[in-house]
Amino acid sequence: MKTGVAHKSYGVALPMNHGKLDKLFRLLPIWRKGLAYSLNQWCRELFETGSLSTWQSTKTFPNYLSQRQWDSVSRQAKATFDSWLTNRQNEFRSLVYHSTLEDNLKRDLYEINLRYAWYEHSDDKTHHMARWLMKHLRRRNRIPDLSKCRTMDMDGKIARIENAKNTKCERWAVVSTLESGKPVRVPIFADRKLDENLFLNNETLSNHLTIRFNLDGSVNGKLITTLPKAEKRTQGETLGLDWGMDCMFALSDGRLLGTRMFDWLKQRDTELIELTRALQKNGVKPSKSRRYRNLQRRIRAYYRNEIGRLFNQLSKEQVKEIVVEKLDFRNLNLSHKMNRLLTRTGRAAVEAKLKRIQELYGVTVTEINPAYTSQQCSHCGYTARNNRPTRDLFRCKCCGTTLHADINASRNILSRRSRENGWRSIRKQEIVRILNSEHANRYVHHDNHLVGDAQTSGATPRRIQPYKRLEKTGVKVPKRVLQNTI
């Protein structure tokens, strides 16, 4: 893709007669076969040579597809493989981060992981370790099976977008089929927003069409537009963002966004559980039930729309930077099926939306290490598990600060932005040691004062012993501090 250019996609309807639809359906299994073949070639290149090129020569590929079709198939397979590799790269980094390996070995593994160089032809200890870790990750997460893909991603070589004349639709897509020289003209009905943005937002319509065949036999598509990336914002406030348990997002300025989301999800979760039990009782697999698939589709669509709405709301405010952690989309009061559905849907939707607000609105997104942000007091810095007596309430055992637990976490996320690299390259044990050490040193300078601030916490100032078990973490607490604590 071109640098300095952002992309937007718009859903479109593709109303076709049975003859045109039949020609596209006959192309789908051959397209799938080509996707599986092309992906296999990409995998062999990476696993055998240790590197991955940006382009694949299709001249020697089988002749059941034309060269133009093979080019589109190869690009789609490469995009799928890149997405899979990025997910494995993130898991690899997390695996190394939480391991007990030596720091030097960790740094070398991070460097290999950054270059996707796990299979380089090298016999040193680091590459052996990298290949062993990737073998473990590949066993848990198989390479996608594109022989079951229901999407055909076509560029302008085989799906040319044209303006229609003397017809009800405004555009045609001239799509090449298995019959040489006999393309089909697919009518396109787009949302009004597409034409409005083409006129107002300096967007350009790309010669690109994505066709998806749904399980119910219907067909829909997507068109893509390009526009210049927005310049980075230099004015505005910086917000910390935490994923809440009973709300969508908690912000460091004290706002809770998406507070009605949990109630809606709770109702849908009850429907999902009851429907699953009824299907299992009748011996029907949930995946074979249209009602079950429609319910899941409804939940995913609502979830994605809410995420998009809230981020659009933030992007329109005077915000120049958003500081986030690795989001966890699970909720303790929802079923395992619902949590799995939300995790998959939410992670993809949030990542896509964060990338989009950077490109379209110029908002900077900074990631930090989330370790102990939910246990650390945003007022005094004291870190302890029992600072959260309930899921929603945070009450510091040292200074008495009391506030919503998610808002407290979002303020810690914001403050961690000032740490070197957001503390993303150090372990949890090191983070808690630093936090405890800093709090102990801070307490030395305030040992003549009562712990607590009635104006900010609403709690009664009191003296307690926050350092009773700090010796287990290796923090040296001055005797003067221990003598002055009660």
Side-chain angles (χ1 to χ4, degrees):
M1 293 185 178
K2 297 179 180 179
T3 58
V5 175
H7 297 78
K8 295 178 67 175
S9 63
Y10 296 86
V12 295
L14 306 174
M16 292 174 282
N17 57 39
H18 292 290
K20 294 180 179 181
L21 194 58
D22 181 63
K23 289 184 178 181
L24 290 181
F25 268 121
R26 281 189 284 142
L27 176 61
L28 178 62
I30 308 301
W31 191 277
R32 287 173 168 175
K33 184 178 178 181
L35 285 174
Y37 182 88
S38 180
L39 180 60
N40 183 57
Q41 300 302 312
W42 285 115
C43 294
R44 287 183 60 184
E45 180 181 351
L46 177 65
F47 300 149
E48 293 179 2
T49 67
S51 61
L52 199 62
S53 59
T54 58
W55 175 78
Q56 188 178 62
S57 176
T58 60
K59 292 183 179 181
T60 59
F61 283 14
N63 59 0
Y64 49 76
L65 288 173
S66 67
Q67 284 299 307
R68 293 183 302 167
Q69 291 170 338
W70 270 122
D71 289 340
S72 291
V73 167
S74 177
R75 289 190 184 93
Q76 183 177 346
K78 178 64 160 53
T80 303
F81 195 39
D82 286 342
S83 177
W84 183 84
L85 288 175
T86 301
N87 291 333
R88 302 296 80 75
Q89 184 186 49
N90 295 335
E91 293 177 355
F92 187 99
R93 183 173 60 246
S94 177
L95 204 61
V96 173
Y97 171 77
H98 292 97
S99 69
T100 57
L101 299 173
E102 299 177 356
D103 292 340
N104 292 335
L105 182 57
K106 280 188 175 183
R107 283 193 294 268
D108 294 339
L109 288 172
Y110 287 143
E111 182 181 352
I112 291 175
N113 187 55
L114 189 64
R115 297 184 289 109
Y116 297 98
W118 312 292
Y119 298 99
E120 280 183 340
H121 295 295
S122 180
D123 292 331
D124 58 277
K125 176 183 177 181
T126 308
H127 282 83
H128 277 290
M129 177 65 69
R131 285 190 285 270
W132 184 85
L133 292 175
M134 279 301 296
K135 182 179 180 181
H136 169 71
L137 294 176
R138 286 174 58 190
R139 190 181 296 117
R140 292 196 311 179
N141 302 275
R142 301 290 184 180
I143 296 174
D145 182 9
L146 295 185
S147 63
K148 300 179 181 179
C149 181
R150 301 192 303 272
T151 301
M152 296 193 300
D153 201 13
M154 304 177 173
D155 60 14
K157 293 182 179 180
I158 57 174
R160 189 174 65 255
I161 309 299
E162 296 180 351
N163 292 327
K165 297 179 181 179
N166 303 323
T167 59
K168 294 182 179 179
C169 64
E170 296 182 355
R171 296 179 180 86
W172 292 100
V174 184
V175 181
S176 65
T177 61
L178 295 177
E179 301 179 42
S180 178
K182 295 183 179 181
V184 295
R185 289 182 172 270
V186 180
I188 298 176
F189 285 89
D191 194 330
R192 291 181 180 179
K193 292 182 179 180
L194 173 61
D195 292 315
E196 292 177 1
N197 291 337
L198 289 176
F199 179 73
L200 298 175
N201 292 352
N202 195 27
E203 296 185 28
T204 304
L205 184 63
S206 298
N207 221 9
H208 193 106
L209 176 66
T210 299
I211 301 178
R212 178 175 178 80
F213 299 87
N214 302 313
L215 292 175
D216 58 3
S218 62
V219 179
N220 52 30
K222 285 185 179 181
L223 291 178
I224 294 178
T225 62
T226 59
L227 68 162
K229 287 186 179 180
E231 296 183 0
K232 185 179 295 187
R233 292 184 182 180
T234 57
Q235 296 182 348
E237 60 179 329
T238 301
L239 293 177
L241 184 146
D242 180 62
W243 179 263
M245 296 296 288
D246 290 339
C247 64
M248 183 73 76
F249 297 130
L251 302 179
S252 55
D253 60 3
R255 287 183 290 167
L256 298 174
L257 304 181
T259 54
R260 299 179 182 178
M261 169 63 72
F262 179 75
D263 294 334
W264 188 90
L265 288 175
K266 192 67 177 176
Q267 296 175 3
R268 303 292 82 75
D269 192 33
T270 303
E271 295 179 19
L272 194 66
I273 293 174
E274 293 177 353
L275 179 58
T276 303
R277 289 175 179 171
L279 292 173
Q280 292 176 346
K281 185 178 181 180
N282 294 325
V284 179
K285 292 183 178 181
S287 59
K288 301 297 182 181
S289 169
R290 179 180 297 181
R291 183 182 172 190
Y292 182 86
R293 294 197 303 268
N294 289 339
L295 178 57
Q296 284 203 328
R297 189 181 300 115
R298 181 186 175 194
I299 294 171
R300 283 194 294 263
Y302 186 85
Y303 207 55
R304 284 194 296 262
N305 290 339
E306 276 297 293
I307 290 174
R309 182 183 67 84
L310 295 177
F311 272 119
N312 287 337
Q313 175 183 334
L314 287 177
S315 62
K316 293 177 182 178
E317 299 177 3
Q318 294 297 321
V319 177
K320 68 175 182 179
E321 184 178 2
I322 297 177
V323 187
V324 298
E325 62 175 355
K326 183 179 180 181
L327 301 178
D328 185 3
F329 298 88
R330 293 172 295 175
N331 191 298
L332 299 178
N333 289 333
L334 296 177
S335 66
H336 174 70
K337 279 185 175 292
M338 177 64 80
N339 279 324
R340 185 171 59 181
L341 179 64
L342 297 185
T343 298
R344 292 178 178 177
T345 305
R347 182 175 291 116
V350 168
E351 289 177 354
K353 200 62 184 180
L354 289 176
K355 181 180 179 181
R356 185 171 179 179
I357 65 175
Q358 291 183 83
E359 295 179 344
L360 301 183
Y361 302 103
V363 178
T364 302
V365 177
T366 304
E367 295 183 355
I368 57 96
N369 191 323
Y372 298 101
T373 53
S374 61
Q375 299 180 17
Q376 178 187 359
C377 176
S378 59
H379 180 64
C380 72
Y382 177 61
T383 305
R385 181 179 300 177
N386 56 359
N387 278 346
R388 292 185 64 170
T390 65
R391 188 182 63 190
D392 299 329
L393 179 64
F394 183 92
R395 180 179 290 118
C396 181
K397 293 296 183 179
C398 180
C399 69
T401 296
T402 303
L403 71 164
H404 195 283
D406 295 330
I407 294 177
N408 176 78
S410 65
R411 292 176 179 175
N412 288 327
I413 291 171
L414 178 61
S415 64
R416 195 159 294 184
R417 167 184 172 272
S418 60
R419 304 288 187 172
E420 183 180 358
N421 198 27
W423 272 354
R424 287 181 295 174
S425 58
I426 61 177
R427 293 181 293 179
K428 294 175 61 176
Q429 295 84 348
E430 181 67 13
I431 289 177
V432 71
R433 189 195 66 80
I434 295 174
L435 292 176
N436 288 332
S437 178
E438 289 178 349
H439 188 259
N441 294 331
R442 191 181 302 116
Y443 196 87
V444 171
H445 301 292
H446 298 83
D447 60 336
N448 293 325
H449 303 279
L450 291 175
V451 179
D453 186 348
Q455 293 181 351
T456 58
S457 66
T460 304
R462 59 194 182 280
R463 290 185 182 272
I464 58 176
Q465 291 184 354
Y467 305 108
K468 189 174 181 179
R469 291 185 294 270
L470 281 185
E471 295 181 357
K472 295 183 179 180
T473 63
V475 177
K476 296 181 180 180
V477 183
K479 294 181 179 181
R480 180 185 177 189
V481 175
L482 296 177
Q483 293 173 355
N484 289 333
T485 58
I486 299 175

PDB file of all heavy atoms in Angstrom, residues 1-2 4-10 194 197-198 201-208 223-229 360:
ATOM      1  N   MET A   1       0.827  -1.190   0.000  1.00  0.00           N
ATOM      2  CA  MET A   1       0.000   0.000   0.000  1.00  0.00           C
ATOM      3  C   MET A   1       0.869   1.251   0.000  1.00  0.00           C
ATOM      4  O   MET A   1       2.004   1.242   0.480  1.00  0.00           O
ATOM      5  CB  MET A   1      -0.936   0.011   1.212  1.00  0.00           C
ATOM      6  CG  MET A   1      -2.005  -1.086   1.186  1.00  0.00           C
ATOM      7  SD  MET A   1      -3.173  -0.932   2.550  1.00  0.00           S
ATOM      8  CE  MET A   1      -4.274  -2.293   2.186  1.00  0.00           C
ATOM      9  N   LYS A   2       0.296   2.319  -0.523  1.00  0.00           N
ATOM     10  CA  LYS A   2       1.051   3.551  -0.605  1.00  0.00           C
ATOM     11  C   LYS A   2       1.244   4.151   0.775  1.00  0.00           C
ATOM     12  O   LYS A   2       0.361   4.099   1.629  1.00  0.00           O
ATOM     13  CB  LYS A   2       0.316   4.545  -1.505  1.00  0.00           C
ATOM     14  CG  LYS A   2       0.164   4.078  -2.947  1.00  0.00           C
ATOM     15  CD  LYS A   2      -0.605   5.106  -3.756  1.00  0.00           C
ATOM     16  CE  LYS A   2      -0.769   4.652  -5.204  1.00  0.00           C
ATOM     17  NZ  LYS A   2      -1.530   5.631  -6.009  1.00  0.00           N
ATOM     18  N   GLY A   4       1.620   7.258   3.431  1.00  0.00           N
ATOM     19  CA  GLY A   4       0.969   8.553   3.529  1.00  0.00           C
ATOM     20  C   GLY A   4      -0.480   8.544   3.079  1.00  0.00           C
ATOM     21  O   GLY A   4      -1.073   9.604   2.883  1.00  0.00           O
ATOM     22  N   VAL A   5      -1.050   7.359   2.883  1.00  0.00           N
ATOM     23  CA  VAL A   5      -2.425   7.235   2.401  1.00  0.00           C
ATOM     24  C   VAL A   5      -3.216   6.365   3.372  1.00  0.00           C
ATOM     25  O   VAL A   5      -2.749   5.311   3.792  1.00  0.00           O
ATOM     26  CB  VAL A   5      -2.470   6.639   0.976  1.00  0.00           C
ATOM     27  CG1 VAL A   5      -3.913   6.411   0.538  1.00  0.00           C
ATOM     28  CG2 VAL A   5      -1.764   7.545  -0.010  1.00  0.00           C
ATOM     29  N   ALA A   6      -4.419   6.815   3.728  1.00  0.00           N
ATOM     30  CA  ALA A   6      -5.319   6.039   4.563  1.00  0.00           C
ATOM     31  C   ALA A   6      -6.400   5.407   3.691  1.00  0.00           C
ATOM     32  O   ALA A   6      -6.706   5.909   2.607  1.00  0.00           O
ATOM     33  CB  ALA A   6      -5.955   6.923   5.631  1.00  0.00           C
ATOM     34  N   HIS A   7      -6.960   4.295   4.170  1.00  0.00           N
ATOM     35  CA  HIS A   7      -7.981   3.581   3.422  1.00  0.00           C
ATOM     36  C   HIS A   7      -9.249   3.464   4.250  1.00  0.00           C
ATOM     37  O   HIS A   7      -9.199   3.276   5.470  1.00  0.00           O
ATOM     38  CB  HIS A   7      -7.499   2.179   3.037  1.00  0.00           C
ATOM     39  CG  HIS A   7      -6.307   2.166   2.138  1.00  0.00           C
ATOM     40  ND1 HIS A   7      -5.025   2.390   2.595  1.00  0.00           N
ATOM     41  CD2 HIS A   7      -6.201   1.969   0.791  1.00  0.00           C
ATOM     42  CE1 HIS A   7      -4.177   2.317   1.579  1.00  0.00           C
ATOM     43  NE2 HIS A   7      -4.867   2.064   0.493  1.00  0.00           N
ATOM     44  N   LYS A   8     -10.395   3.580   3.586  1.00  0.00           N
ATOM     45  CA  LYS A   8     -11.695   3.394   4.219  1.00  0.00           C
ATOM     46  C   LYS A   8     -12.509   2.421   3.372  1.00  0.00           C
ATOM     47  O   LYS A   8     -12.398   2.419   2.143  1.00  0.00           O
ATOM     48  CB  LYS A   8     -12.443   4.723   4.358  1.00  0.00           C
ATOM     49  CG  LYS A   8     -11.779   5.714   5.297  1.00  0.00           C
ATOM     50  CD  LYS A   8     -12.544   7.028   5.348  1.00  0.00           C
ATOM     51  CE  LYS A   8     -13.900   6.867   5.988  1.00  0.00           C
ATOM     52  NZ  LYS A   8     -14.592   8.167   6.155  1.00  0.00           N
ATOM     53  N   SER A   9     -13.305   1.605   4.018  1.00  0.00           N
ATOM     54  CA  SER A   9     -14.130   0.641   3.296  1.00  0.00           C
ATOM     55  C   SER A   9     -15.604   0.942   3.533  1.00  0.00           C
ATOM     56  O   SER A   9     -15.998   1.405   4.610  1.00  0.00           O
ATOM     57  CB  SER A   9     -13.805  -0.788   3.742  1.00  0.00           C
ATOM     58  OG  SER A   9     -14.123  -0.968   5.108  1.00  0.00           O
ATOM     59  N   TYR A  10     -16.416   0.677   2.520  1.00  0.00           N
ATOM     60  CA  TYR A  10     -17.855   0.915   2.575  1.00  0.00           C
ATOM     61  C   TYR A  10     -18.585  -0.345   2.102  1.00  0.00           C
ATOM     62  O   TYR A  10     -18.273  -0.897   1.045  1.00  0.00           O
ATOM     63  CB  TYR A  10     -18.243   2.093   1.675  1.00  0.00           C
ATOM     64  CG  TYR A  10     -17.664   3.422   2.093  1.00  0.00           C
ATOM     65  CD1 TYR A  10     -16.395   3.815   1.670  1.00  0.00           C
ATOM     66  CD2 TYR A  10     -18.377   4.286   2.909  1.00  0.00           C
ATOM     67  CE1 TYR A  10     -15.859   5.033   2.044  1.00  0.00           C
ATOM     68  CE2 TYR A  10     -17.849   5.520   3.293  1.00  0.00           C
ATOM     69  CZ  TYR A  10     -16.587   5.875   2.862  1.00  0.00           C
ATOM     70  OH  TYR A  10     -16.058   7.086   3.239  1.00  0.00           O
ATOM     71  N   LEU A 194     -20.879   7.117   0.996  1.00  0.00           N
ATOM     72  CA  LEU A 194     -19.777   6.971   0.060  1.00  0.00           C
ATOM     73  C   LEU A 194     -19.696   8.169  -0.870  1.00  0.00           C
ATOM     74  O   LEU A 194     -18.641   8.797  -1.011  1.00  0.00           O
ATOM     75  CB  LEU A 194     -19.932   5.674  -0.737  1.00  0.00           C
ATOM     76  CG  LEU A 194     -18.930   5.470  -1.886  1.00  0.00           C
ATOM     77  CD1 LEU A 194     -17.507   5.434  -1.362  1.00  0.00           C
ATOM     78  CD2 LEU A 194     -19.251   4.188  -2.655  1.00  0.00           C
ATOM     79  N   ASN A 197     -18.774  11.424   1.038  1.00  0.00           N
ATOM     80  CA  ASN A 197     -17.360  11.535   1.397  1.00  0.00           C
ATOM     81  C   ASN A 197     -16.467  11.696   0.174  1.00  0.00           C
ATOM     82  O   ASN A 197     -15.414  12.336   0.248  1.00  0.00           O
ATOM     83  CB  ASN A 197     -16.928  10.309   2.199  1.00  0.00           C
ATOM     84  CG  ASN A 197     -17.562  10.263   3.574  1.00  0.00           C
ATOM     85  OD1 ASN A 197     -17.978  11.292   4.102  1.00  0.00           O
ATOM     86  ND2 ASN A 197     -17.653   9.084   4.151  1.00  0.00           N
ATOM     87  N   LEU A 198     -16.868  11.106  -0.941  1.00  0.00           N
ATOM     88  CA  LEU A 198     -16.097  11.322  -2.170  1.00  0.00           C
ATOM     89  C   LEU A 198     -16.123  12.785  -2.579  1.00  0.00           C
ATOM     90  O   LEU A 198     -15.152  13.308  -3.139  1.00  0.00           O
ATOM     91  CB  LEU A 198     -16.663  10.453  -3.303  1.00  0.00           C
ATOM     92  CG  LEU A 198     -16.420   8.945  -3.210  1.00  0.00           C
ATOM     93  CD1 LEU A 198     -17.133   8.229  -4.345  1.00  0.00           C
ATOM     94  CD2 LEU A 198     -14.936   8.631  -3.244  1.00  0.00           C
ATOM     95  N   ASN A 201     -14.796  14.879   1.489  1.00  0.00           N
ATOM     96  CA  ASN A 201     -13.601  14.529   2.266  1.00  0.00           C
ATOM     97  C   ASN A 201     -12.368  14.261   1.424  1.00  0.00           C
ATOM     98  O   ASN A 201     -11.404  13.667   1.898  1.00  0.00           O
ATOM     99  CB  ASN A 201     -13.888  13.297   3.126  1.00  0.00           C
ATOM    100  CG  ASN A 201     -14.887  13.596   4.223  1.00  0.00           C
ATOM    101  OD1 ASN A 201     -15.262  14.744   4.445  1.00  0.00           O
ATOM    102  ND2 ASN A 201     -15.344  12.560   4.900  1.00  0.00           N
ATOM    103  N   ASN A 202     -12.394  14.639   0.186  1.00  0.00           N
ATOM    104  CA  ASN A 202     -11.224  14.461  -0.683  1.00  0.00           C
ATOM    105  C   ASN A 202     -10.831  12.992  -0.785  1.00  0.00           C
ATOM    106  O   ASN A 202      -9.659  12.646  -0.865  1.00  0.00           O
ATOM    107  CB  ASN A 202     -10.040  15.295  -0.167  1.00  0.00           C
ATOM    108  CG  ASN A 202      -8.942  15.446  -1.205  1.00  0.00           C
ATOM    109  OD1 ASN A 202      -9.207  15.396  -2.406  1.00  0.00           O
ATOM    110  ND2 ASN A 202      -7.717  15.650  -0.759  1.00  0.00           N
ATOM    111  N   GLU A 203     -11.827  12.103  -0.768  1.00  0.00           N
ATOM    112  CA  GLU A 203     -11.568  10.672  -0.919  1.00  0.00           C
ATOM    113  C   GLU A 203     -11.607  10.277  -2.394  1.00  0.00           C
ATOM    114  O   GLU A 203     -12.309  10.894  -3.193  1.00  0.00           O
ATOM    115  CB  GLU A 203     -12.592   9.854  -0.129  1.00  0.00           C
ATOM    116  CG  GLU A 203     -12.524  10.064   1.375  1.00  0.00           C
ATOM    117  CD  GLU A 203     -13.472   9.158   2.132  1.00  0.00           C
ATOM    118  OE1 GLU A 203     -13.779   8.059   1.617  1.00  0.00           O
ATOM    119  OE2 GLU A 203     -13.914   9.532   3.237  1.00  0.00           O
ATOM    120  N   THR A 204     -10.864   9.239  -2.713  1.00  0.00           N
ATOM    121  CA  THR A 204     -10.802   8.736  -4.085  1.00  0.00           C
ATOM    122  C   THR A 204     -11.216   7.276  -4.097  1.00  0.00           C
ATOM    123  O   THR A 204     -10.717   6.476  -3.297  1.00  0.00           O
ATOM    124  CB  THR A 204      -9.384   8.878  -4.658  1.00  0.00           C
ATOM    125  OG1 THR A 204      -8.974  10.251  -4.575  1.00  0.00           O
ATOM    126  CG2 THR A 204      -9.346   8.437  -6.113  1.00  0.00           C
ATOM    127  N   LEU A 205     -12.125   6.919  -4.992  1.00  0.00           N
ATOM    128  CA  LEU A 205     -12.594   5.547  -5.080  1.00  0.00           C
ATOM    129  C   LEU A 205     -11.543   4.668  -5.739  1.00  0.00           C
ATOM    130  O   LEU A 205     -11.058   4.955  -6.833  1.00  0.00           O
ATOM    131  CB  LEU A 205     -13.897   5.487  -5.884  1.00  0.00           C
ATOM    132  CG  LEU A 205     -14.567   4.117  -5.987  1.00  0.00           C
ATOM    133  CD1 LEU A 205     -14.993   3.629  -4.609  1.00  0.00           C
ATOM    134  CD2 LEU A 205     -15.770   4.178  -6.921  1.00  0.00           C
ATOM    135  N   SER A 206     -11.172   3.582  -5.072  1.00  0.00           N
ATOM    136  CA  SER A 206     -10.170   2.663  -5.601  1.00  0.00           C
ATOM    137  C   SER A 206     -10.824   1.652  -6.541  1.00  0.00           C
ATOM    138  O   SER A 206     -12.009   1.328  -6.405  1.00  0.00           O
ATOM    139  CB  SER A 206      -9.464   1.911  -4.465  1.00  0.00           C
ATOM    140  OG  SER A 206      -8.776   2.807  -3.627  1.00  0.00           O
ATOM    141  N   ASN A 207     -10.038   1.154  -7.454  1.00  0.00           N
ATOM    142  CA  ASN A 207     -10.495   0.124  -8.375  1.00  0.00           C
ATOM    143  C   ASN A 207     -10.351  -1.233  -7.689  1.00  0.00           C
ATOM    144  O   ASN A 207      -9.465  -2.028  -8.011  1.00  0.00           O
ATOM    145  CB  ASN A 207      -9.665   0.175  -9.659  1.00  0.00           C
ATOM    146  CG  ASN A 207     -10.520  -0.025 -10.892  1.00  0.00           C
ATOM    147  OD1 ASN A 207     -11.736  -0.043 -10.822  1.00  0.00           O
ATOM    148  ND2 ASN A 207      -9.880  -0.187 -12.023  1.00  0.00           N
ATOM    149  N   HIS A 208     -11.226  -1.492  -6.734  1.00  0.00           N
ATOM    150  CA  HIS A 208     -11.067  -2.653  -5.861  1.00  0.00           C
ATOM    151  C   HIS A 208     -12.444  -3.078  -5.370  1.00  0.00           C
ATOM    152  O   HIS A 208     -13.250  -2.246  -4.957  1.00  0.00           O
ATOM    153  CB  HIS A 208     -10.172  -2.287  -4.669  1.00  0.00           C
ATOM    154  CG  HIS A 208      -9.693  -3.469  -3.901  1.00  0.00           C
ATOM    155  ND1 HIS A 208      -8.404  -3.935  -3.962  1.00  0.00           N
ATOM    156  CD2 HIS A 208     -10.341  -4.298  -3.051  1.00  0.00           C
ATOM    157  CE1 HIS A 208      -8.265  -4.986  -3.177  1.00  0.00           C
ATOM    158  NE2 HIS A 208      -9.431  -5.222  -2.613  1.00  0.00           N
ATOM    159  N   LEU A 223     -16.423  -1.638  -1.077  1.00  0.00           N
ATOM    160  CA  LEU A 223     -15.598  -0.775  -1.903  1.00  0.00           C
ATOM    161  C   LEU A 223     -14.606  -0.053  -1.008  1.00  0.00           C
ATOM    162  O   LEU A 223     -14.894   0.200   0.171  1.00  0.00           O
ATOM    163  CB  LEU A 223     -16.446   0.233  -2.669  1.00  0.00           C
ATOM    164  CG  LEU A 223     -17.339  -0.316  -3.791  1.00  0.00           C
ATOM    165  CD1 LEU A 223     -18.147   0.816  -4.408  1.00  0.00           C
ATOM    166  CD2 LEU A 223     -16.506  -1.011  -4.857  1.00  0.00           C
ATOM    167  N   ILE A 224     -13.456   0.308  -1.539  1.00  0.00           N
ATOM    168  CA  ILE A 224     -12.391   0.952  -0.770  1.00  0.00           C
ATOM    169  C   ILE A 224     -12.088   2.319  -1.367  1.00  0.00           C
ATOM    170  O   ILE A 224     -12.020   2.469  -2.595  1.00  0.00           O
ATOM    171  CB  ILE A 224     -11.124   0.078  -0.754  1.00  0.00           C
ATOM    172  CG1 ILE A 224     -11.391  -1.217   0.005  1.00  0.00           C
ATOM    173  CG2 ILE A 224      -9.948   0.815  -0.110  1.00  0.00           C
ATOM    174  CD1 ILE A 224     -10.214  -2.160   0.041  1.00  0.00           C
ATOM    175  N   THR A 225     -11.926   3.297  -0.504  1.00  0.00           N
ATOM    176  CA  THR A 225     -11.500   4.626  -0.926  1.00  0.00           C
ATOM    177  C   THR A 225     -10.165   4.965  -0.269  1.00  0.00           C
ATOM    178  O   THR A 225      -9.811   4.392   0.773  1.00  0.00           O
ATOM    179  CB  THR A 225     -12.533   5.703  -0.535  1.00  0.00           C
ATOM    180  OG1 THR A 225     -12.659   5.741   0.897  1.00  0.00           O
ATOM    181  CG2 THR A 225     -13.884   5.407  -1.156  1.00  0.00           C
ATOM    182  N   THR A 226      -9.438   5.875  -0.865  1.00  0.00           N
ATOM    183  CA  THR A 226      -8.163   6.337  -0.309  1.00  0.00           C
ATOM    184  C   THR A 226      -8.254   7.833  -0.046  1.00  0.00           C
ATOM    185  O   THR A 226      -8.977   8.559  -0.736  1.00  0.00           O
ATOM    186  CB  THR A 226      -6.999   6.066  -1.278  1.00  0.00           C
ATOM    187  OG1 THR A 226      -7.252   6.742  -2.517  1.00  0.00           O
ATOM    188  CG2 THR A 226      -6.859   4.571  -1.540  1.00  0.00           C
ATOM    189  N   LEU A 227      -7.514   8.286   0.954  1.00  0.00           N
ATOM    190  CA  LEU A 227      -7.431   9.698   1.282  1.00  0.00           C
ATOM    191  C   LEU A 227      -6.123   9.953   2.010  1.00  0.00           C
ATOM    192  O   LEU A 227      -5.548   9.036   2.607  1.00  0.00           O
ATOM    193  CB  LEU A 227      -8.613  10.144   2.137  1.00  0.00           C
ATOM    194  CG  LEU A 227      -8.727   9.617   3.571  1.00  0.00           C
ATOM    195  CD1 LEU A 227      -9.690  10.509   4.362  1.00  0.00           C
ATOM    196  CD2 LEU A 227      -9.206   8.185   3.622  1.00  0.00           C
ATOM    197  N   PRO A 228      -5.609  11.176   1.968  1.00  0.00           N
ATOM    198  CA  PRO A 228      -4.337  11.472   2.644  1.00  0.00           C
ATOM    199  C   PRO A 228      -4.459  11.283   4.153  1.00  0.00           C
ATOM    200  O   PRO A 228      -5.495  11.572   4.749  1.00  0.00           O
ATOM    201  CB  PRO A 228      -4.075  12.944   2.281  1.00  0.00           C
ATOM    202  CG  PRO A 228      -4.919  13.205   1.083  1.00  0.00           C
ATOM    203  CD  PRO A 228      -6.121  12.327   1.219  1.00  0.00           C
ATOM    204  N   LYS A 229      -3.399  10.768   4.776  1.00  0.00           N
ATOM    205  CA  LYS A 229      -3.388  10.618   6.225  1.00  0.00           C
ATOM    206  C   LYS A 229      -3.392  11.982   6.907  1.00  0.00           C
ATOM    207  O   LYS A 229      -2.801  12.939   6.409  1.00  0.00           O
ATOM    208  CB  LYS A 229      -2.149   9.836   6.668  1.00  0.00           C
ATOM    209  CG  LYS A 229      -2.211   8.354   6.358  1.00  0.00           C
ATOM    210  CD  LYS A 229      -1.022   7.631   6.948  1.00  0.00           C
ATOM    211  CE  LYS A 229      -1.091   6.139   6.666  1.00  0.00           C
ATOM    212  NZ  LYS A 229       0.074   5.416   7.244  1.00  0.00           N
ATOM    213  N   LEU A 360      -6.837   8.866  10.225  1.00  0.00           N
ATOM    214  CA  LEU A 360      -7.847   9.807   9.762  1.00  0.00           C
ATOM    215  C   LEU A 360      -7.936  11.072  10.598  1.00  0.00           C
ATOM    216  O   LEU A 360      -8.339  12.125  10.085  1.00  0.00           O
ATOM    217  CB  LEU A 360      -9.224   9.132   9.748  1.00  0.00           C
ATOM    218  CG  LEU A 360      -9.365   7.887   8.863  1.00  0.00           C
ATOM    219  CD1 LEU A 360     -10.802   7.386   8.896  1.00  0.00           C
ATOM    220  CD2 LEU A 360      -8.949   8.190   7.432  1.00  0.00           C
TER     221      LEU A 360
END
